[in-house]
Every structure is written in structure tokens, then in C-alpha cells.
């Protein structure tokens, strides 16, 4: 149980560091098309990570069998 909390805290720290580095770069882009693509790709990345986390046990069971 404690390892899940430690992993969650560590993952949150990595997200924080990554977003602190990415968000200022997003503000430098003035073309609307590029800004939309960047935001959509961030949403896609978060969605993929959520799906992997949601189905983590099923993925683990299918690989270990």
C-alpha cells in the first residue's frame, strides 16, 4: 500500500517538473494551429497514460500468462 503512495507522489513530481518546462514553451508559440496541436497532443498523452493505468492489472495478467 505504501509503495502505491510513493509511486503516485514520484509520478506527480515528474509531471510537475515536465509541465513547468513545457508550459512556458507553449506560450512562446503565436500560431493558433501549432498551439492547438500542442494542446491536443498533451491531452492524447494524458489519455494514453490514463488508459494504461486503468487497464494496468489486465495488461499485467495478459503478459504474465
Amino acid at each position: 500500500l505504501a509503495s502505491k503512495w510513493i509511486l503516485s507522489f514520484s509520478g506527480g513530481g515528474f509531471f510537475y517538473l515536465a509541465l513547468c518546462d513545457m508550459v512556458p514553451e507553449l506560450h512562446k508559440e503565436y500560431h493558433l494551429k501549432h498551439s492547438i496541436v500542442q494542446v491536443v497532443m498533451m491531452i492524447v498523452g494524458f489519455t494514453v497514460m490514463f488508459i494504461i493505468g486503468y487497464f494496468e492489472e489486465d495488461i499485467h495478467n495478459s503478459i504474465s500468462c
Side-chain angles (χ1 to χ4, degrees):
L1 182 64
S3 64
K4 289 185 179 183
W5 283 100
I6 293 170
L7 288 175
S8 298
F9 184 75
S10 299
F14 282 116
F15 274 130
Y16 175 76
L17 291 174
L19 288 176
C20 283
D21 194 38
M22 286 175 40
V23 170
E25 294 295 323
L26 292 176
H27 290 293
K28 290 181 182 178
E29 189 64 51
Y30 296 112
H31 300 295
L32 182 62
K33 181 180 176 182
H34 290 137
S35 296
I36 291 172
V37 169
Q38 289 173 341
V39 170
V40 167
M41 289 299 141
M42 284 178 51
I43 292 171
V44 168
F46 287 134
T47 304
V48 168
M49 287 187 290
F50 175 77
I51 290 170
I52 290 172
Y54 186 77
F55 292 108
E56 177 183 7
E57 191 171 325
D58 296 333
I59 294 169
H60 178 69
N61 290 338
S62 67
I63 290 173
S64 63
C65 290

